[in-house]
Amino acid sequence: MEQAKIIKTAIRIRDLVFRRGRNTILDGISMDIQQGSIVAFMGPSGVGKTTILRLISGQLKPDEGTIEVNGQMVSRMSDRELHRFRRNIGVLLQDGALFTDLTVFENIATPLREHTDLPEPLLRRLVMSKLNAVGLGGIEDLMPHELSGGMARRVAFARAVVLDPGIMLYDEPMTGLDPIAVSTIRTLMRETNDALGLTSIVVTHNVTQMSQLVDYCYIMASAKIAGEGPPQELNSSTEPGVNQFMNGKMEGPIPFHYQTPGTPWGLLD
Amino acid sequence: MRPNYKVELASGIFLLLGIAALIWLAMRATDYGQEIGKDTYRISARFTNVADLRVKSPVKIAGVTVGMVESIVLDPVMFEAVVNMDIATRFNEIPSDTGASVLTSGVLGDRYIGLEPGGAPDVLVEGDELFITQSALILEQVIGKYLFNADSTEENR
Amino acid sequence: MATLGHYTSKLTGPVAQSGQCLLFLMRMISSIRFSAAQVRSVLQQIYLIGARSLVIVMICGFFVGMVLSLQAINALEQFGASDQVSLLVVKSLFRELGPVLTALLFAGRAGTSVTAEIGLMKATNQIEAMELMAIDPIQIIALPRFIASLISLPLLTAMFNALAILGSVVFSIGVMDMDAGIFWSKLQTGIYFYKDFVGGMWKSLVFGGLVGLVAVFFGYTAKPTGAGVGTATTNTVVLSSVLILVFDFIMTSFFT
């Protein structure tokens, strides 16, 4: 508890509302994410987890509420400020999203080439050191389609951290990987986070993969936060929505049917 | 870097080929670059009618191109066409009493200027004018004349 | 009301889309930077969309030249004017057939691959990843392809024309036994450098810009699914072909 007081808040979200058309995707979400922690947003598919990532990175603008990252208001940034702000964010997207027309080396070098004026030898050493850090030294001349899923994800990881960001955003970083690759990525995430003092946010729906990794969890359901806490606490939670999700039950407040306005299921048309 | 180098080489070759094709087309298949050379001297001639003679049409002696038409202007007083021609300097011994006529290559072909060298000892130099000229034959006029002559001979009978 | 809205959206859709397309062009132009990396990626794209279209363009050019000569000789023989065949063939090549046919081939060969490639990049989140890395995908992805298309098409047109003339030479001189001297001298007096040759090259430059813009734009706005990329690719061919012919008429009527 004493520790908690000296730890800074890296991301502060207040009363966040986001709508897409008539659907309210996020409805009044508030949270404080501490610097140096790994935080997970969990919840069923389509509940707006990825939307939060996009709001934090400034890709989307909230309809109401504020997002503050390291004291800067993301929701009010101009394009130019946003551009500078994003250099401090590393992103690992669902399937890695490596640039298919570039070699592994050029993939990792791309953020450096765009945002720095490093001389070529230095740039090369930096890229190679990141590639070695993810255990893939020697594959720099391969094209992305020549890599296995786990290797591609590690290359994408190296690309995401090559600018030494302060904040890492992960969108389903482990889906579609074999168990060995999953633990590799998990170890990389933890070690990088602790070594560089990053703040990491992970979006996922995989409970078991995450509970061993993260410090704190937000469970989302129906556009709201249904429960929060360290994973061990959530596992034993009696809150119905949290309990349903953590234990993978069909019955509970999270509905089986897609909710539509009007008559249900088109049976009476 | 290695795979990229190959690609850059290939696209460089493509660019060079394309530019070569452009230049070849321009030099070989258009009137560009058909100048008779840099060293020329200019002479002129007056015609009552040049028909569809054009700038850059060839100037020939005995069928060999020696120069080309540089410009065609109308004399506003005499109402004659003044044709300026550039002749290559290497043909510098054309007699000054040479005649010029507007001729046609083939029956319906392009117009060109034919020079018929005379026998004078003097040679043509820059700025000279040819005085013996023969205008273009206009097909309609030729036919008209022929018909008129035929009519008049019949009347005379 | 719903049907009215449907029809108005059918009308305003293309207008709005061409507006978006123009904005896209402006964004591309405003993102031009002269760096070694940019030049390198333009070169790479020139290879991918220009050099690799070369063979098909050259084959088509050769046969177009042959068939044009065949038709022209047939037609001109009736007037005893088969001497004029090179003039007729090359004039129609330089002014219309070269630029238009090459542009249509180019739209089918290179335009589609650009659209499909960018559409797939979108479907696999590559574009989004760039945006999140604060890299402008328009500058990195769209601009090099647009510029490469602008440079490649005139050069391809020149090759098409050159090969078509070669085809004409092969047919009229080689097969029909016409006089080579007359063939070339007709061209050198009857084809005007500015009016015929440069005019056609201007067209080709405009077509290169059109195909490049349409291909990049449809790829960039494709729905990130398999079907979406397929539709976008088809749209690229259809719209570029229509635009090529429309602009051909506009340019011919205004500039000649």
Side-chain angles (χ1 to χ4, degrees), chain B residues 29-60:
Chain B
T30 73
D31 59 359
Y32 190 79
Q34 296 313 311
E35 277 83 10
I36 208 73
K38 278 239 155 47
D39 296 335
T40 59
Y41 59 96
R42 182 160 301 167
I43 58 174
S44 63
R46 291 167 170 269
F47 299 93
T48 48
N49 195 333
V50 291
D52 54 354
L53 184 77
R54 287 182 296 233
V55 170
K56 290 195 174 172
S57 289
V59 177
K60 296 180 178 181

Side-chain angles (χ1 to χ4, degrees), chain A residues 54 83 86 100 115 159, chain C residues 126 128 131-134 140:
Chain A
R54 293 191 179 165
H83 190 260
R86 281 183 184 156
T100 40
H115 295 306
R159 186 180 68 182
Chain C
Q126 294 179 46
E128 193 191 346
E131 277 168 1
L132 286 171
M133 287 181 211
I140 299 294

Side-chain angles (χ1 to χ4, degrees), chain C residues 10-127:
Chain C
K10 269 213 161 155
L11 279 175
T12 53
V15 178
Q17 215 173 19
S18 29
Q20 283 175 351
C21 203
L22 276 183
L23 282 178
F24 192 83
L25 180 65
M26 312 253 265
R27 275 180 70 187
M28 276 202 290
I29 291 172
S30 67
S31 71
I32 293 178
R33 304 276 180 281
F34 293 97
S35 65
Q38 273 283 20
V39 172
R40 217 177 292 137
S41 65
V42 168
L43 273 179
Q44 191 186 1
Q45 290 305 322
I46 286 179
Y47 168 73
L48 287 173
I49 69 182
R52 286 168 80 177
S53 310
L54 188 56
V55 173
I56 182 177
V57 160
M58 286 170 84
I59 293 174
C60 292
F62 186 75
F63 281 97
V64 165
M66 298 236 284
V67 78
L68 271 182
S69 319
L70 172 64
Q71 295 280 21
I73 289 174
N74 277 343
L76 290 171
E77 255 177 356
Q78 300 174 12
F79 311 105
S82 43
D83 273 3
Q84 307 282 350
V85 61
S86 66
L87 199 58
L88 183 63
V89 167
V90 174
K91 209 157 238 200
S92 50
L93 270 176
F94 278 2
R95 288 187 163 204
E96 289 294 332
L97 292 172
V100 171
L101 286 179
T102 316
L104 292 176
L105 284 171
F106 187 71
R109 169 67 183 73
T112 49
S113 75
V114 166
T115 305
E117 192 191 7
I118 299 181
L120 269 173
M121 284 183 170
K122 222 183 151 189
T124 51
N125 292 330
Q126 294 179 46
I127 304 279

Side-chain angles (χ1 to χ4, degrees), chain B residues 32-96:
Chain B
Y32 190 79
Q34 296 313 311
E35 277 83 10
I36 208 73
K38 278 239 155 47
D39 296 335
T40 59
Y41 59 96
R42 182 160 301 167
I43 58 174
S44 63
R46 291 167 170 269
F47 299 93
T48 48
N49 195 333
V50 291
D52 54 354
L53 184 77
R54 287 182 296 233
V55 170
K56 290 195 174 172
S57 289
V59 177
K60 296 180 178 181
I61 296 178
V64 177
T65 305
V66 296
M68 62 174 211
V69 173
E70 187 270 333
S71 62
I72 303 170
V73 290
L74 182 71
D75 181 330
V77 183
M78 308 284 287
F79 299 111
E80 283 176 336
V82 180
V83 175
N84 295 308
M85 295 166 265
D86 285 340
I87 309 292
T89 317
R90 63 180 184 276
F91 305 110
N92 59 356
E93 290 187 13
I94 303 170
S96 58

Side-chain angles (χ1 to χ4, degrees), chain B residues 108-121:
Chain B
L108 294 167
D110 294 327
R111 302 279 176 174
Y112 67 95
I113 292 203
L115 300 182
E116 291 125 52

Side-chain angles (χ1 to χ4, degrees), chain A residues 54 57 59 82-83 86-87 89 91 93-102 110-111 113-115 159 163, chain C residues 37 40 44-45 48 117 120-121 123-136 139-141 145:
Chain A
R54 293 191 179 165
S57 64
Q59 251 185 315
L82 212 52
H83 190 260
R86 281 183 184 156
R87 288 183 208 181
I89 295 188
V91 182
L93 289 177
Q94 239 166 55
D95 41 14
L98 292 178
F99 306 138
T100 40
D101 56 342
L102 297 179
T110 300
R113 290 198 199 284
E114 278 300 303
H115 295 306
R159 186 180 68 182
L163 282 174
Chain C
R40 217 177 292 137
Q44 191 186 1
Q45 290 305 322
L48 287 173
E117 192 191 7
L120 269 173
M121 284 183 170
T124 51
N125 292 330
Q126 294 179 46
I127 304 279
E128 193 191 346
M130 284 190 184
E131 277 168 1
L132 286 171
M133 287 181 211
I135 298 170
D136 183 6
Q139 186 183 20
I140 299 294
I141 300 295
R145 285 164 175 79

